[in-house]
Every structure is written in structure tokens, then in C-alpha cells.
Amino acid sequence: MYETHAITTDNEAGVVTGWRPGRLSRRGREVAVELGARRRDDGISAVFVSDLARAVTTARIAFAGTGIPVHRDARLRECDHGSFTGRPVAEVAAARRDRLDRPFPGGESVRGAVERVRDFVVDVVDVVAGCDGQRVVVIGHAVGRWALEHLVAGRPLEEVVEEPFEWRPGWEYRLTGGETAGRCDGRTRRRDGGETADLTENHPQA
């Protein structure tokens, strides 16, 4: 299951946050509580979340007190919009198709960000398949939604990024893949040999 982070002050101002931490608005915190009410009793075995503060705060609010393991992973970050960060959403959206394979100045391309998410998805496929089809929640950003539509639903990326992003209460995808026996703690093993980080109460929030 895929969820985007809750509403931020930048969302309400209509500007792009990119790799900045971001801060949930009052309404955003309410949305995070609603996310928890929607998902916490849904048979979830683990939660994976972007390490950007707006996503981390969303996960902390939503799953507080549940005992469900929550893991941060930088591969789930939003596209790095470089010098376009902080600009109006409409301006960045208009430039997105041109930046599909050409990086934003000082940042990354949309396809580059999608490939980063692909690496995460491959690891999660192994976790889910090795744990007899358990359900996980992923909390990220718009680019994660585009990546899943492209990688899992098989839609052309050129088509996906042209669509206006419309928030909704989650999307569900079915992932299948190889075996990962004995890794049912919900923690992915990164290709560099490290593991995703646990989300602890000591992690600073926005």
C-alpha cells in the first residue's frame, strides 16, 4: 500500500519542497491521524518511509503506539528539484516533461528519481515474497506514486508524469518476486550491504 505524506505548509502555499524537510500543517497532522485510523488495523507487518521530515512525521503520528516497525529509507525521497526547489508547483509541473531525462539544475532527473525508487521496490519485493505475502505500507512523495504506476502497473513514465497529482487516501499494489527466507522483520537489505534505518522516538521531526 502506498501513501503520500500528509499535507504540509508548502503544499498549502503551492510551492515545491523537493529535498527540503517540509513541515506538516495543522490540517496535515489531522490527515496523518486519519491515515493511522485507516491503516493501523489493516494487517500491516511493516511501514517504510522516506527519510524527509514531512514523511517521517506523518509515519510517527499515524502509527504511534501500534508496535508496527517503521523504517526510514532515503531512496523514497521526492525528486531533487535542485534550483527549482521552492518555486510554484505549476512552474515545476510545466518543466517536468523536459526534465524526464535531463536533471533539474543542481538536482536529478525524474527518471533518475524513479530508478532510485526502483532499487527500493526490488528490495521490498524480496521482503514481501519471503514473508508469505505480508502487507506493508510505504509513505513517500509524488515521485513514488509515479514510480509504482510505471514499475508495477506498467504505465509509460512519460504518461504518468503528465497527469496532475491528486491526493487520495492511498493506493494498493501487489508485488511478487524472489525468495528472502527468514527476513520477516520488514527490514530491507540495501545493495551497499547496509540496512534501512529504524524510525525511533529520538529521530528529530519537523
PDB file of all heavy atoms in Angstrom, residues 28-52:
ATOM      1  N   GLY A  28      -2.521  18.926   8.012  1.00  0.00           N
ATOM      2  CA  GLY A  28      -1.683  17.769   7.725  1.00  0.00           C
ATOM      3  C   GLY A  28      -1.591  16.805   8.894  1.00  0.00           C
ATOM      4  O   GLY A  28      -1.624  15.581   8.709  1.00  0.00           O
ATOM      5  N   ARG A  29      -1.481  17.324  10.084  1.00  0.00           N
ATOM      6  CA  ARG A  29      -1.428  16.456  11.262  1.00  0.00           C
ATOM      7  C   ARG A  29      -2.751  15.714  11.447  1.00  0.00           C
ATOM      8  O   ARG A  29      -2.770  14.553  11.877  1.00  0.00           O
ATOM      9  CB  ARG A  29      -1.064  17.273  12.500  1.00  0.00           C
ATOM     10  CG  ARG A  29       0.399  17.732  12.460  1.00  0.00           C
ATOM     11  CD  ARG A  29       0.795  18.594  13.657  1.00  0.00           C
ATOM     12  NE  ARG A  29       2.216  18.883  13.576  1.00  0.00           N
ATOM     13  CZ  ARG A  29       3.180  18.123  14.091  1.00  0.00           C
ATOM     14  NH1 ARG A  29       2.862  17.016  14.745  1.00  0.00           N
ATOM     15  NH2 ARG A  29       4.449  18.452  13.952  1.00  0.00           N
ATOM     16  N   GLU A  30      -3.838  16.363  11.120  1.00  0.00           N
ATOM     17  CA  GLU A  30      -5.136  15.690  11.176  1.00  0.00           C
ATOM     18  C   GLU A  30      -5.201  14.572  10.145  1.00  0.00           C
ATOM     19  O   GLU A  30      -5.703  13.478  10.424  1.00  0.00           O
ATOM     20  CB  GLU A  30      -6.264  16.701  10.930  1.00  0.00           C
ATOM     21  CG  GLU A  30      -6.409  17.744  12.024  1.00  0.00           C
ATOM     22  CD  GLU A  30      -7.389  18.851  11.657  1.00  0.00           C
ATOM     23  OE1 GLU A  30      -7.839  18.865  10.487  1.00  0.00           O
ATOM     24  OE2 GLU A  30      -7.710  19.682  12.528  1.00  0.00           O
ATOM     25  N   VAL A  31      -4.660  14.837   8.951  1.00  0.00           N
ATOM     26  CA  VAL A  31      -4.640  13.827   7.888  1.00  0.00           C
ATOM     27  C   VAL A  31      -3.777  12.634   8.300  1.00  0.00           C
ATOM     28  O   VAL A  31      -4.109  11.479   8.003  1.00  0.00           O
ATOM     29  CB  VAL A  31      -4.131  14.450   6.564  1.00  0.00           C
ATOM     30  CG1 VAL A  31      -3.810  13.370   5.532  1.00  0.00           C
ATOM     31  CG2 VAL A  31      -5.161  15.428   6.007  1.00  0.00           C
ATOM     32  N   ALA A  32      -2.662  12.899   8.992  1.00  0.00           N
ATOM     33  CA  ALA A  32      -1.800  11.813   9.458  1.00  0.00           C
ATOM     34  C   ALA A  32      -2.533  10.928  10.469  1.00  0.00           C
ATOM     35  O   ALA A  32      -2.397   9.699  10.442  1.00  0.00           O
ATOM     36  CB  ALA A  32      -0.523  12.383  10.067  1.00  0.00           C
ATOM     37  N   VAL A  33      -3.303  11.538  11.341  1.00  0.00           N
ATOM     38  CA  VAL A  33      -4.108  10.765  12.294  1.00  0.00           C
ATOM     39  C   VAL A  33      -5.122   9.913  11.534  1.00  0.00           C
ATOM     40  O   VAL A  33      -5.341   8.733  11.860  1.00  0.00           O
ATOM     41  CB  VAL A  33      -4.824  11.701  13.290  1.00  0.00           C
ATOM     42  CG1 VAL A  33      -5.843  10.925  14.124  1.00  0.00           C
ATOM     43  CG2 VAL A  33      -3.817  12.397  14.202  1.00  0.00           C
ATOM     44  N   GLU A  34      -5.726  10.481  10.504  1.00  0.00           N
ATOM     45  CA  GLU A  34      -6.694   9.745   9.691  1.00  0.00           C
ATOM     46  C   GLU A  34      -6.033   8.571   8.975  1.00  0.00           C
ATOM     47  O   GLU A  34      -6.629   7.496   8.841  1.00  0.00           O
ATOM     48  CB  GLU A  34      -7.343  10.692   8.675  1.00  0.00           C
ATOM     49  CG  GLU A  34      -8.231  11.744   9.325  1.00  0.00           C
ATOM     50  CD  GLU A  34      -8.595  12.875   8.372  1.00  0.00           C
ATOM     51  OE1 GLU A  34      -8.279  12.783   7.165  1.00  0.00           O
ATOM     52  OE2 GLU A  34      -9.210  13.853   8.836  1.00  0.00           O
ATOM     53  N   LEU A  35      -4.798   8.766   8.522  1.00  0.00           N
ATOM     54  CA  LEU A  35      -4.056   7.681   7.870  1.00  0.00           C
ATOM     55  C   LEU A  35      -3.888   6.516   8.843  1.00  0.00           C
ATOM     56  O   LEU A  35      -4.098   5.358   8.495  1.00  0.00           O
ATOM     57  CB  LEU A  35      -2.694   8.186   7.393  1.00  0.00           C
ATOM     58  CG  LEU A  35      -1.814   7.259   6.543  1.00  0.00           C
ATOM     59  CD1 LEU A  35      -0.752   8.075   5.801  1.00  0.00           C
ATOM     60  CD2 LEU A  35      -1.125   6.176   7.355  1.00  0.00           C
ATOM     61  N   GLY A  36      -3.502   6.843  10.073  1.00  0.00           N
ATOM     62  CA  GLY A  36      -3.341   5.796  11.079  1.00  0.00           C
ATOM     63  C   GLY A  36      -4.631   5.052  11.346  1.00  0.00           C
ATOM     64  O   GLY A  36      -4.651   3.821  11.438  1.00  0.00           O
ATOM     65  N   ALA A  37      -5.729   5.785  11.447  1.00  0.00           N
ATOM     66  CA  ALA A  37      -7.021   5.155  11.687  1.00  0.00           C
ATOM     67  C   ALA A  37      -7.408   4.231  10.530  1.00  0.00           C
ATOM     68  O   ALA A  37      -8.048   3.190  10.730  1.00  0.00           O
ATOM     69  CB  ALA A  37      -8.095   6.230  11.873  1.00  0.00           C
ATOM     70  N   ARG A  38      -6.975   4.595   9.332  1.00  0.00           N
ATOM     71  CA  ARG A  38      -7.294   3.823   8.134  1.00  0.00           C
ATOM     72  C   ARG A  38      -6.434   2.567   7.997  1.00  0.00           C
ATOM     73  O   ARG A  38      -6.884   1.547   7.478  1.00  0.00           O
ATOM     74  CB  ARG A  38      -7.095   4.724   6.913  1.00  0.00           C
ATOM     75  CG  ARG A  38      -7.587   4.168   5.608  1.00  0.00           C
ATOM     76  CD  ARG A  38      -7.624   5.242   4.525  1.00  0.00           C
ATOM     77  NE  ARG A  38      -6.307   5.712   4.128  1.00  0.00           N
ATOM     78  CZ  ARG A  38      -5.810   6.925   4.375  1.00  0.00           C
ATOM     79  NH1 ARG A  38      -6.540   7.809   5.026  1.00  0.00           N
ATOM     80  NH2 ARG A  38      -4.605   7.275   3.963  1.00  0.00           N
ATOM     81  N   ARG A  39      -5.164   2.619   8.454  1.00  0.00           N
ATOM     82  CA  ARG A  39      -4.212   1.556   8.161  1.00  0.00           C
ATOM     83  C   ARG A  39      -3.737   0.737   9.357  1.00  0.00           C
ATOM     84  O   ARG A  39      -3.289  -0.399   9.192  1.00  0.00           O
ATOM     85  CB  ARG A  39      -2.975   2.160   7.483  1.00  0.00           C
ATOM     86  CG  ARG A  39      -3.223   2.782   6.131  1.00  0.00           C
ATOM     87  CD  ARG A  39      -3.707   1.776   5.114  1.00  0.00           C
ATOM     88  NE  ARG A  39      -3.693   2.313   3.765  1.00  0.00           N
ATOM     89  CZ  ARG A  39      -4.292   1.727   2.729  1.00  0.00           C
ATOM     90  NH1 ARG A  39      -4.952   0.592   2.895  1.00  0.00           N
ATOM     91  NH2 ARG A  39      -4.236   2.270   1.523  1.00  0.00           N
ATOM     92  N   ARG A  40      -3.798   1.256  10.560  1.00  0.00           N
ATOM     93  CA  ARG A  40      -3.114   0.599  11.681  1.00  0.00           C
ATOM     94  C   ARG A  40      -3.692  -0.769  12.020  1.00  0.00           C
ATOM     95  O   ARG A  40      -2.986  -1.610  12.584  1.00  0.00           O
ATOM     96  CB  ARG A  40      -3.075   1.495  12.914  1.00  0.00           C
ATOM     97  CG  ARG A  40      -4.432   1.902  13.451  1.00  0.00           C
ATOM     98  CD  ARG A  40      -4.304   2.663  14.771  1.00  0.00           C
ATOM     99  NE  ARG A  40      -3.370   3.777  14.689  1.00  0.00           N
ATOM    100  CZ  ARG A  40      -2.667   4.231  15.733  1.00  0.00           C
ATOM    101  NH1 ARG A  40      -2.795   3.650  16.906  1.00  0.00           N
ATOM    102  NH2 ARG A  40      -1.869   5.262  15.597  1.00  0.00           N
ATOM    103  N   ASP A  41      -4.966  -0.997  11.711  1.00  0.00           N
ATOM    104  CA  ASP A  41      -5.572  -2.305  11.990  1.00  0.00           C
ATOM    105  C   ASP A  41      -5.824  -3.080  10.705  1.00  0.00           C
ATOM    106  O   ASP A  41      -6.720  -3.914  10.631  1.00  0.00           O
ATOM    107  CB  ASP A  41      -6.885  -2.119  12.761  1.00  0.00           C
ATOM    108  CG  ASP A  41      -6.667  -1.493  14.123  1.00  0.00           C
ATOM    109  OD1 ASP A  41      -5.689  -1.869  14.803  1.00  0.00           O
ATOM    110  OD2 ASP A  41      -7.464  -0.611  14.503  1.00  0.00           O
ATOM    111  N   ASP A  42      -4.992  -2.831   9.696  1.00  0.00           N
ATOM    112  CA  ASP A  42      -5.194  -3.398   8.363  1.00  0.00           C
ATOM    113  C   ASP A  42      -4.241  -4.556   8.079  1.00  0.00           C
ATOM    114  O   ASP A  42      -3.963  -4.867   6.917  1.00  0.00           O
ATOM    115  CB  ASP A  42      -4.999  -2.285   7.315  1.00  0.00           C
ATOM    116  CG  ASP A  42      -5.710  -2.575   6.015  1.00  0.00           C
ATOM    117  OD1 ASP A  42      -6.634  -3.413   6.011  1.00  0.00           O
ATOM    118  OD2 ASP A  42      -5.351  -1.957   4.986  1.00  0.00           O
ATOM    119  N   GLY A  43      -3.719  -5.188   9.124  1.00  0.00           N
ATOM    120  CA  GLY A  43      -2.834  -6.334   8.935  1.00  0.00           C
ATOM    121  C   GLY A  43      -1.463  -5.969   8.414  1.00  0.00           C
ATOM    122  O   GLY A  43      -0.828  -6.758   7.708  1.00  0.00           O
ATOM    123  N   ILE A  44      -0.961  -4.777   8.781  1.00  0.00           N
ATOM    124  CA  ILE A  44       0.322  -4.291   8.289  1.00  0.00           C
ATOM    125  C   ILE A  44       1.466  -4.936   9.070  1.00  0.00           C
ATOM    126  O   ILE A  44       1.459  -4.956  10.302  1.00  0.00           O
ATOM    127  CB  ILE A  44       0.404  -2.757   8.428  1.00  0.00           C
ATOM    128  CG1 ILE A  44      -0.759  -2.082   7.686  1.00  0.00           C
ATOM    129  CG2 ILE A  44       1.743  -2.232   7.941  1.00  0.00           C
ATOM    130  CD1 ILE A  44      -0.837  -2.449   6.234  1.00  0.00           C
ATOM    131  N   SER A  45       2.473  -5.438   8.351  1.00  0.00           N
ATOM    132  CA  SER A  45       3.622  -6.037   9.028  1.00  0.00           C
ATOM    133  C   SER A  45       4.765  -5.049   9.199  1.00  0.00           C
ATOM    134  O   SER A  45       5.598  -5.219  10.088  1.00  0.00           O
ATOM    135  CB  SER A  45       4.123  -7.256   8.260  1.00  0.00           C
ATOM    136  OG  SER A  45       4.473  -6.918   6.932  1.00  0.00           O
ATOM    137  N   ALA A  46       4.844  -4.018   8.347  1.00  0.00           N
ATOM    138  CA  ALA A  46       5.920  -3.028   8.447  1.00  0.00           C
ATOM    139  C   ALA A  46       5.538  -1.787   7.659  1.00  0.00           C
ATOM    140  O   ALA A  46       4.703  -1.836   6.756  1.00  0.00           O
ATOM    141  CB  ALA A  46       7.241  -3.588   7.927  1.00  0.00           C
ATOM    142  N   VAL A  47       6.164  -0.677   8.033  1.00  0.00           N
ATOM    143  CA  VAL A  47       5.993   0.589   7.330  1.00  0.00           C
ATOM    144  C   VAL A  47       7.367   1.058   6.868  1.00  0.00           C
ATOM    145  O   VAL A  47       8.327   1.030   7.639  1.00  0.00           O
ATOM    146  CB  VAL A  47       5.357   1.663   8.240  1.00  0.00           C
ATOM    147  CG1 VAL A  47       5.234   3.004   7.507  1.00  0.00           C
ATOM    148  CG2 VAL A  47       3.988   1.213   8.736  1.00  0.00           C
ATOM    149  N   PHE A  48       7.470   1.474   5.609  1.00  0.00           N
ATOM    150  CA  PHE A  48       8.691   2.055   5.056  1.00  0.00           C
ATOM    151  C   PHE A  48       8.389   3.500   4.705  1.00  0.00           C
ATOM    152  O   PHE A  48       7.337   3.804   4.128  1.00  0.00           O
ATOM    153  CB  PHE A  48       9.145   1.297   3.810  1.00  0.00           C
ATOM    154  CG  PHE A  48       9.462  -0.142   4.071  1.00  0.00           C
ATOM    155  CD1 PHE A  48       8.489  -1.126   3.904  1.00  0.00           C
ATOM    156  CD2 PHE A  48      10.718  -0.524   4.493  1.00  0.00           C
ATOM    157  CE1 PHE A  48       8.773  -2.450   4.151  1.00  0.00           C
ATOM    158  CE2 PHE A  48      11.015  -1.857   4.749  1.00  0.00           C
ATOM    159  CZ  PHE A  48      10.038  -2.821   4.581  1.00  0.00           C
ATOM    160  N   VAL A  49       9.305   4.402   5.048  1.00  0.00           N
ATOM    161  CA  VAL A  49       9.015   5.819   4.894  1.00  0.00           C
ATOM    162  C   VAL A  49      10.241   6.572   4.391  1.00  0.00           C
ATOM    163  O   VAL A  49      11.382   6.254   4.748  1.00  0.00           O
ATOM    164  CB  VAL A  49       8.510   6.408   6.242  1.00  0.00           C
ATOM    165  CG1 VAL A  49       9.529   6.234   7.336  1.00  0.00           C
ATOM    166  CG2 VAL A  49       8.105   7.860   6.102  1.00  0.00           C
ATOM    167  N   SER A  50      10.004   7.554   3.543  1.00  0.00           N
ATOM    168  CA  SER A  50      11.062   8.482   3.139  1.00  0.00           C
ATOM    169  C   SER A  50      11.691   9.092   4.377  1.00  0.00           C
ATOM    170  O   SER A  50      11.025   9.301   5.394  1.00  0.00           O
ATOM    171  CB  SER A  50      10.449   9.581   2.262  1.00  0.00           C
ATOM    172  OG  SER A  50      11.258  10.733   2.224  1.00  0.00           O
ATOM    173  N   ASP A  51      12.988   9.396   4.296  1.00  0.00           N
ATOM    174  CA  ASP A  51      13.666   9.974   5.463  1.00  0.00           C
ATOM    175  C   ASP A  51      13.487  11.487   5.562  1.00  0.00           C
ATOM    176  O   ASP A  51      14.028  12.109   6.480  1.00  0.00           O
ATOM    177  CB  ASP A  51      15.157   9.624   5.456  1.00  0.00           C
ATOM    178  CG  ASP A  51      15.926  10.277   4.320  1.00  0.00           C
ATOM    179  OD1 ASP A  51      15.296  10.736   3.341  1.00  0.00           O
ATOM    180  OD2 ASP A  51      17.171  10.328   4.395  1.00  0.00           O
ATOM    181  N   LEU A  52      12.739  12.106   4.655  1.00  0.00           N
ATOM    182  CA  LEU A  52      12.472  13.536   4.765  1.00  0.00           C
ATOM    183  C   LEU A  52      11.461  13.785   5.887  1.00  0.00           C
ATOM    184  O   LEU A  52      10.512  13.014   6.073  1.00  0.00           O
ATOM    185  CB  LEU A  52      11.954  14.091   3.439  1.00  0.00           C
ATOM    186  CG  LEU A  52      12.974  14.027   2.287  1.00  0.00           C
ATOM    187  CD1 LEU A  52      12.326  14.477   0.979  1.00  0.00           C
ATOM    188  CD2 LEU A  52      14.204  14.883   2.596  1.00  0.00           C
TER     189      LEU A  52
END
